[in-house]
Amino acid sequence: MGTSITYYLQEMLRGEWLRKFLFVKTAPYETPPHFRDYPRLTGKECNRCLNCMMICPTPGAIEVLKTEEGWNPVIYPGHCIRCGLCVEACPEGVLMSGRILESQFYENTGYSYTFHLTVDTTRCMRCGNCSVACPINKEEDPQLAAGGTGANDEVIMRVKGGELQILHEEKCTGCKTCEETCPNSAIRVARVIEAIHVAEEEG
Amino acid sequence: MSFLQSIKNTVRSRSIHVSYVNVGSCNGCDIEVLAMLAPRYDIEQYGIYVHNNPREADILLVTGAFTPQWEDKLKSIWDKIPEPKAAIAIGNCPISGCVFNRRGSFVDPPVAKHIPIAAEVPGCPPRPTEILNAVLSLAPVVFKDYEEKQQ
Ligand code: SF4
Ligand code: SF4
Ligand code: SF4
Ligand code: SF4
């Protein structure tokens, strides 16, 4: 017993031990580069599709703004939760964060989305404002856009037989012009997002 | 600088008492504050002690988006902290309300509207290192030469 006490005392009075005991600190923790951080610009050109803004779950976290260098997304810390969804949703690879872009490349993942139109028939007055205003309808049937009547079945929606029929939902681009034009808030556009595994379909 | 003041500076730089209050966060930021106590980050090696008594605190860590129940209470906690003191907003919630700040929700961010906030650490949640850096860089600014600055 006596020897072990002397052993400990000897050990603890060594200068090196005392120095360590009093002054050594844990090495500062460096954030590893593969951690997702606030998305940064890669320098690729942004085509202003606004996918990044549409997928962002947080109010006020991302905006696509015009600066001297052109259009680019701007991330606001204090709002952004570093989820990385905008990085994944961007079709042009404008943003990067951690190793999201690499793993997306190796695993061939991406997002596809479609738009779903719902008409509340009890509110809809069959005015046809939506079908006239829709920019896709204008392309498909200029007559409908100009005169309000059209016979073309290629349009997204039109008033026919006393009701508003949705004919080609899949052509909708999600611009929400119809929602804004509708005088009675009868039509709603919903974006349906799917995570997919094929890079070619990436939205 | 007076001798007394330099002693106070030394002591204050080695002993910062931190108290935290959750004014309606999801608990994520509180967990990160807790993680700072773990050996990997080891906040106590810098002389920072986390405990929950505002009367002993120097720095108040505020998490959460400020729910209506805190309207009168946060101010009273802030008033209980003796001078010199500082408050740090931890996470997006006290800065912007983060994902809770939606139309029709009851939260009332930013917390800076209710008590003076000296520093903000964004993130959802911020990393323990980021919180630690904020505390360490704020403390000397607020506490150094406090009495002389008062005069
Ligand atoms: S990382 Fe997430 S929260 Fe931040 S801007 Fe992108 S989508 Fe929004
Ligand atoms: S998703 Fe990409 S290309 Fe589209 S607006 Fe955002 S940054 Fe630009
Ligand atoms: S969202 Fe735009 S494209 Fe889609 S139906 Fe409405 S107006 Fe047409
Ligand atoms: S604009 Fe509105 S009310 Fe008019 S037809 Fe379209 S959905 Fe119905």
Side-chain angles (χ1 to χ4, degrees), chain A residues 5-194:
Chain A
I5 289 179
T6 354
Y7 174 78
Y8 278 121
L9 282 179
Q10 253 175 9
E11 184 65 19
M12 289 170 185
L13 287 176
R14 274 194 312 127
E16 181 61 4
W17 190 91
L18 275 173
R19 193 188 63 79
K20 269 194 188 158
F21 182 77
L22 294 174
F23 297 109
V24 160
K25 301 203 164 166
T26 353
Y29 193 81
E30 301 282 337
T31 306
H34 65 265
F35 274 27
R36 272 176 314 182
D37 213 325
Y38 295 107
R40 291 198 312 276
L41 297 179
T42 52
K44 293 199 181 134
E45 201 174 328
C46 164
N47 68 8
R48 249 190 313 152
C49 63
L50 304 188
N51 281 359
C52 50
M53 279 179 81
M54 284 196 271
I55 204 157
C56 178
T58 324
I62 185 166
E63 263 181 331
V64 180
L65 297 178
K66 188 168 188 182
T67 55
E68 278 116 53
E69 298 98 65
W71 291 86
N72 264 326
V74 178
I75 313 279
Y76 297 103
H79 293 255
C80 174
I81 63 173
R82 298 189 265 209
C83 65
L85 288 179
C86 53
V87 179
E88 277 185 79
C90 177
E92 304 290 331
V94 174
L95 294 161
M96 62 160 298
S97 162
R99 54 181 170 208
I100 294 176
L101 288 182
E102 286 90 322
S103 61
Q104 206 180 14
F105 179 75
Y106 287 120
E107 290 164 19
N108 273 350
T109 53
Y111 289 107
S112 91
Y113 51 82
T114 49
F115 293 93
H116 181 65
L117 298 166
T118 332
V119 183
D120 182 347
T121 46
T122 56
R123 299 187 68 99
C124 176
M125 307 176 291
R126 287 89 182 161
C127 65
N129 278 2
C130 52
S131 54
V132 173
C134 172
I136 304 297
N137 280 7
K138 283 195 172 110
E139 273 169 30
E140 298 289 349
D141 188 354
Q143 203 190 335
L144 172 68
T149 48
N152 188 336
D153 274 348
E154 293 304 306
V155 295
I156 296 182
M157 78 295 239
R158 70 184 174 117
V159 180
K160 193 182 176 188
E163 60 166 351
L164 179 69
Q165 292 182 338
I166 311 281
L167 300 168
H168 288 285
E169 204 176 54
E170 73 283 354
K171 290 185 187 169
C172 173
T173 59
C175 68
K176 296 203 173 192
T177 311
C178 50
E179 249 190 55
E180 273 158 35
T181 340
C182 178
N184 212 18
S185 313
I187 192 161
R188 284 272 171 269
V189 186
R191 196 167 49 122
V192 185
I193 290 212
E194 262 179 301

Side-chain angles (χ1 to χ4, degrees), chain B residues 73-95:
Chain B
K73 298 183 189 84
L74 183 62
K75 185 75 177 57
S76 88
I77 289 181
W78 175 245
D79 289 339
K80 278 178 190 149
I81 302 178
E83 296 279 356
K85 61 186 172 183
I88 304 182
I90 303 291
N92 284 356
C93 278
I95 303 173

Side-chain angles (χ1 to χ4, degrees), chain B residues 62-124:
Chain B
V62 189
T63 62
F66 205 88
T67 51
Q69 288 88 342
W70 284 93
E71 209 62 62
D72 46 340
K73 298 183 189 84
L74 183 62
K75 185 75 177 57
S76 88
I77 289 181
W78 175 245
D79 289 339
K80 278 178 190 149
I81 302 178
E83 296 279 356
K85 61 186 172 183
I88 304 182
I90 303 291
N92 284 356
C93 278
I95 303 173
S96 67
C98 200
V99 289
F100 303 115
N101 190 5
R102 307 246 174 212
R103 237 175 290 146
S105 72
F106 292 102
V107 296
D108 189 18
V111 168
K113 279 201 293 201
H114 308 278
I115 59 169
I117 295 287
E120 290 172 337
V121 190
C124 183

